[in-house]
Amino acid sequence: MPSKIQKLEPDRTTIAIGLEGSANKLGVGIIRHHPRPDKSSPKPPAEILANIRHTYITPPGEGFLPRDTAKHHRSFVVKLVRQALKQSGVSIADIDCVCFTQGPGMGAPLQSVAIAARTISLMWDKPLVGVNHCVGHIEMGREITGATNPVVLYVSGGNTQVIAYSHQRYRIFGETLDIAVGNCLDRFARTLHIPNDPSPGYNIEQLARKGKHYVELPYTVKGMDVSMSGILAYIDGVANDIFGGKPKYTDDGAEITREDLCFSLQETIFAMLVEITERAMAHVGSQQVLIVGGVGCNERLQQMMGMMARDRGGAVYATDERFCIDNGIMIAHAGLLAYETGYRTELEDSVCTQRFRTDEVFLAWRDD
Amino acid sequence: MADDNKNAEIPLPALPEGIVKALDLTLISQGAEALVFFSQSHPFIPTHEAITNSPGFSAGYILKYRPPKPYRHALLDAQLTKHRTLSEVRSLYKLMLAGVKVPVFVSVDPRQGIIWMENISGPSLKKWIWGNEEVIDSQTEDEAGRAKLREEKIKGTLLSVGSEISKLHFMDMVHGDLTTSNLVLRNKNEGEMEPVIIDFGLSSQSTLPEDKAVDLYVLERAFVSTHPMHAEEYIGWLLEGYVAGFGRGKKTGVFKVREIMKKLEAVRLRGRKRSMVG
Ligand SMILES: Nc1ncnc2c1ncn2[C@@H]1O[C@H](COP(=O)(O)OP(=O)(O)O)[C@@H](O)[C@H]1O
Ligand SMILES: [Mg+2]
């Protein structure tokens, strides 16, 4: 029997443009949804028409500041929108709505992209749809991987959450009690003066592959929550000793290298993340895990999660950098899902919010 | 025995051979980190009579096994398994002596990550609430009627759950993973359920009100995520039982619980305000 949602969905294809700029990546994507051939069949896969990104990269040892990041987004947004339109081959008349990240994220970059979205919405006379960044990640991950009802580990520069769906919301089961995992990795990269190009996390992953010795670090799990700040302070201390001319040795007498530190940091914090994900899976009785967010590209994390899921008779779902790193297409996709159920963001309600929790969003497009 | 996530098809990490051969083990749950087996036999008292006739042990035994986790580094894995297993049995033993309702501890092998304990016969609080909600929702359409039924059927149990947790905190013990899966209900008499607290791998000793507040906050969040429709009501009852439980400890208890509840407010606020940068 067709559900309420299937009755709401339009009988035609729909197209959305999505603008993302909540951190240091500016992304513009264009997506097309096709209608169900008949009301009882599943929704056909979404079609990605364009997905373009431009990243603001800072010199080694420096993080990105809100003001400079916003300036970067302002300078590139027109160019990216033009490129996306051209690549997609759609005309402005074909577009149904303009989607943008309404939060969470850094204030100034969010606002600069929201202004761009409002402008094209007025210029083209298309409705606006504000999107929660985290929900964008989850919906895109589900669309690409086909995971139906997974426990979601959302790991990025600003977020660390274990999420599961229930009663039309993505509920947060566990999260970091202090800093996000991506933030922890980025800050350690700064301590080591590892380049930020293409991303600090990627460079740590490459160094970690060459690490051989496991250095014991604090391990902090509280139920389904984790804490990272103690680990960062500790390993920063070790690194500063080593580079300040006080070498450290393992129990077997081997000198500890920065590769070893990257390796040990990854092994420790990823073990914590896999553990809380497993705890959530046991609690809700799910066997699927979906990893989303920038840190989700890390192959070691994917591998560890895969081993855990296999022992539970399940599987891990992950996407590559096109989708797990912040992008415009996920905003277009999640925005279009909401649009199809009648959701619109009026101009006066289009203010961005730096804090916008995943469980605040009512998922009108799901009723399972 | 509690009956969570039974799934016989999963290829499971092997238990040490000697144990499997010697005993009648049935897998009843793949928990958050352990495999939990049920057994009729005691690990080292040989005759069956001895067990079935000893008071309190008629429900059989639980073997909780923390298998090696292939995903984590071997050093870290060995260390965590040993540490968690020992924390769990230390806490079980201390709490049993203090009269808090926990499974009676029988035996331990910390290197292998094996604990034997009493089997608690009854559903987890999670399943029990879900079951009750289903029955209530099928009985009437009317929300006022449902609310009344919830109060009748669920409130009493949650008051006693709160009270049991207060005993734990009163003796400066923190559970570390309070969820509705880690509370098992034992049939006392005529539909009255008695809560038993399990799963002490993340437990620790702490005199700080903050740590107890975090314990409660973790449980609150478990209610919000697992029982979202009536979470607030349930938490209200649970905390009512919790505060009342401290009151019985006279003056020190009242002072202690006031500090904890103040901290709980602060921890909640911190949670809501936690910066979430994309
Ligand atoms: N003593 C016990 N009596 C009855 N059931 C138990 C007992 N111990 C564990 N269980 C069941 O096994 C599940 C997992 O056990 P638990 O100790 O919570 O391990 P984990 O750390 O893996 O969650 C519990 O949720 C419960 O259903
Ligand atoms: Mg448990």
Side-chain angles (χ1 to χ4, degrees):
Chain A
M1 202 184 68
S3 72
K4 258 189 265 166
I5 289 162
Q6 285 149 20
K7 281 188 207 129
L8 284 173
E9 282 172 11
D11 299 329
R12 56 181 181 85
T13 58
T14 46
I15 298 179
I17 184 167
L19 276 66
E20 151 66 29
S22 58
N24 69 332
K25 286 110 194 155
L26 174 67
V28 178
I30 299 179
I31 202 159
R32 171 154 48 209
H33 285 182
H34 297 276
R36 297 170 202 262
D38 56 82
K39 288 288 177 194
S40 56
S41 45
K43 233 180 154 184
E47 204 183 330
I48 292 153
L49 304 174
N51 186 19
I52 302 174
R53 176 165 54 219
H54 197 280
T55 305
Y56 172 53
I57 290 169
T58 48
E62 284 178 33
F64 50 94
L65 298 172
R67 237 188 73 188
D68 303 337
T69 312
K71 196 167 155 208
H72 165 268
H73 292 358
R74 281 199 300 273
S75 345
F76 282 92
V77 70
V78 175
K79 189 170 158 207
L80 256 66
V81 169
R82 282 220 174 96
Q83 260 181 7
L85 275 174
K86 191 159 168 224
Q87 200 184 83
S88 69
V90 303
S91 69
I92 289 168
D94 299 332
I95 294 176
D96 287 280
C97 58
V98 177
C99 312
F100 70 103
T101 308
Q102 205 163 6
M106 293 166 89
L110 273 175
Q111 279 156 23
S112 64
V113 176
I115 288 171
R118 286 183 207 119
T119 308
I120 56 176
S121 145
L122 289 171
M123 234 165 57
W124 299 346
D125 194 20
K126 310 279 179 193
L128 269 178
V129 178
V131 175
N132 177 297
H133 180 89
C134 318
V135 171
H137 270 299
I138 298 171
E139 290 305 345
M140 201 65 214
R142 291 207 311 135
E143 175 66 32
I144 295 294
T145 62
T148 47
N149 194 15
V151 165
V152 181
L153 177 68
Y154 173 31
V155 274
S156 68
N159 277 286
T160 304
Q161 295 182 340
V162 179
I163 298 161
Y165 170 85
S166 144
H167 291 81
Q168 298 198 293
R169 280 181 207 272
Y170 289 120
R171 316 260 169 197
I172 302 169
F173 280 69
E175 61 190 319
T176 176
L177 296 169
D178 38 57
I179 58 172
V181 54
N183 191 247
C184 177
L185 292 170
D186 292 358
R187 278 157 71 170
F188 187 58
R190 263 178 256 157
T191 306
L192 294 186
H193 281 268
I194 296 172
N196 291 326
D197 190 9
S199 76
Y202 178 82
N203 293 327
I204 288 197
E205 183 178 0
Q206 304 316 310
L207 286 174
R209 282 173 206 258
K210 295 181 214 128
K212 288 192 192 70
H213 307 290
Y214 179 71
V215 181
E216 252 180 63
L217 300 173
Y219 184 98
T220 326
V221 166
K222 292 188 178 160
M224 288 184 239
D225 295 332
V226 291
S227 155
M228 311 258 172
S229 58
I231 301 171
L232 180 62
Y234 182 90
I235 197 165
D236 268 351
V238 177
N240 286 330
D241 279 354
I242 290 176
F243 300 116
K246 273 193 278 175
K248 297 236 167 193
Y249 301 92
T250 64
D251 291 345
D252 317 333
E255 187 172 337
I256 294 168
T257 63
R258 61 182 201 154
E259 284 81 3
D260 293 335
L261 291 183
C262 291
F263 168 71
S264 307
L265 182 61
Q266 279 198 173
E267 288 301 307
T268 308
I269 58 182
F270 292 169
M272 288 163 38
L273 294 175
V274 175
E275 180 178 346
I276 60 169
T277 307
E278 182 166 25
R279 199 157 276 138
M281 287 168 81
H283 190 59
V284 303
S286 164
Q287 287 171 330
Q288 297 181 330
V289 200
L290 171 66
I291 313 182
V292 300
V295 183
C297 301
N298 188 298
E299 288 177 12
R300 177 62 183 146
L301 175 60
Q302 291 181 8
Q303 182 192 37
M304 289 166 75
M305 198 63 87
M307 287 193 248
M308 180 276 284
R310 206 162 43 248
D311 276 351
R312 301 193 72 85
V316 63
Y317 297 82
T319 58
D320 62 38
E321 61 82 30
R322 286 172 301 163
F323 305 108
C324 68
I325 294 180
D326 292 351
N327 59 79
I329 199 77
M330 68 185 203
I331 301 303
H333 177 61
L336 194 50
L337 287 172
Y339 173 84
E340 285 159 356
T341 63
Y343 184 84
R344 308 286 183 272
T345 304
E346 297 306 327
L347 197 61
E348 59 267 30
D349 304 324
S350 66
V351 175
C352 295
T353 102
Q354 279 176 262
R355 296 192 180 104
F356 186 0
R357 288 183 63 87
T358 314
D359 52 12
E360 282 174 42
V361 180
F362 177 74
L363 310 168
W365 58 90
R366 281 191 77 168
D367 66 353
D368 46 335
Chain B
M1 77 196 84
D3 50 1
D4 284 13
N5 326 321
K6 189 167 171 172
N7 193 334
E9 282 126 78
I10 305 171
L12 295 166
L15 265 173
E17 212 179 330
I19 293 187
V20 182
K21 275 211 194 109
L23 300 155
D24 53 324
L25 295 172
T26 323
L27 180 72
I28 59 157
S29 162
Q30 184 173 24
E33 56 171 335
L35 298 171
V36 175
F37 298 86
F38 171 78
S39 170
Q40 271 306 330
S41 338
H42 189 281
F44 47 80
I45 300 177
T47 59
H48 210 75
E49 258 88 331
I51 310 132
T52 35
N53 295 335
S54 61
F57 281 103
S58 56
Y61 302 86
I62 287 290
L63 181 154
K64 176 168 177 176
Y65 174 45
R66 289 184 166 83
K69 298 279 186 189
Y71 69 78
R72 62 190 174 205
H73 194 277
L75 277 176
L76 177 62
D77 186 56
Q79 207 187 341
L80 284 175
T81 299
K82 190 171 149 202
H83 181 252
R84 301 241 167 112
T85 306
L86 283 174
S87 303
E88 178 153 20
V89 297
R90 279 199 192 104
S91 297
L92 281 177
Y93 191 65
K94 245 189 225 167
L95 291 165
M96 182 197 71
L97 293 184
V100 182
K101 286 175 204 106
V102 296
V104 175
F105 160 66
V106 174
S107 152
V108 65
D109 179 344
R111 264 179 200 288
Q112 297 281 3
I114 291 174
I115 302 173
W116 284 89
M117 65 184 112
E118 173 194 11
N119 174 46
I120 307 299
S121 182
S124 69
L125 181 61
K126 178 179 75 179
K127 291 246 162 121
W128 183 82
I129 291 179
W130 283 350
N132 269 297
E133 284 180 346
E134 212 168 285
V135 170
I136 291 171
D137 290 353
S138 71
Q139 275 176 2
T140 168
E141 288 279 304
D142 158 50
E143 185 41 45
R146 285 180 179 178
K148 197 160 158 276
L149 282 171
R150 277 200 302 278
E151 178 147 7
E152 268 167 34
K153 287 183 190 284
I154 300 179
K155 185 175 176 181
T157 300
L158 288 179
L159 286 175
S160 52
V161 168
S163 160
E164 211 55 37
I165 296 170
S166 78
K167 293 186 202 161
L168 191 80
H169 285 180
F170 185 74
M171 54 191 288
D172 288 329
M173 183 91 85
V174 173
H175 183 281
D177 187 20
L178 281 178
T179 61
T180 49
S181 302
N182 288 337
L183 291 154
V184 180
L185 299 176
R186 172 158 57 193
N187 228 330
K188 209 169 152 197
N189 47 44
E190 289 310 298
E192 203 188 327
M193 296 306 242
E194 170 181 82
V196 179
I197 312 174
I198 64 164
D199 199 359
F200 287 89
L202 296 177
S203 64
S204 57
Q205 199 75 34
S206 166
T207 54
L208 299 177
E210 163 96 17
D211 289 335
K212 290 150 202 161
V214 169
D215 230 16
L216 293 176
Y217 181 64
V218 165
L219 181 58
E220 268 188 19
R221 295 246 317 282
F223 268 98
V224 171
S225 49
T226 323
H227 312 280
M229 304 320 281
H230 309 291
E232 250 176 72
E233 185 178 38
Y234 296 161
I235 294 162
W237 289 333
L238 194 139
L239 289 179
E240 189 183 328
Y242 179 80
V243 172
F246 269 98
R248 283 195 285 280
K250 305 264 162 47
K251 263 204 179 120
T252 43
V254 173
F255 177 74
K256 242 181 173 168
V257 76
R258 203 181 297 145
E259 293 295 298
I260 296 169
M261 297 309 279
K262 232 192 276 166
K263 281 282 178 208
L264 178 58
E265 233 356 275
V267 173
R268 281 178 186 150
L269 202 64
R270 217 190 301 146
R272 279 197 292 273
K273 277 188 156 168
R274 189 162 301 142
S275 99
M276 297 209 356
V277 177

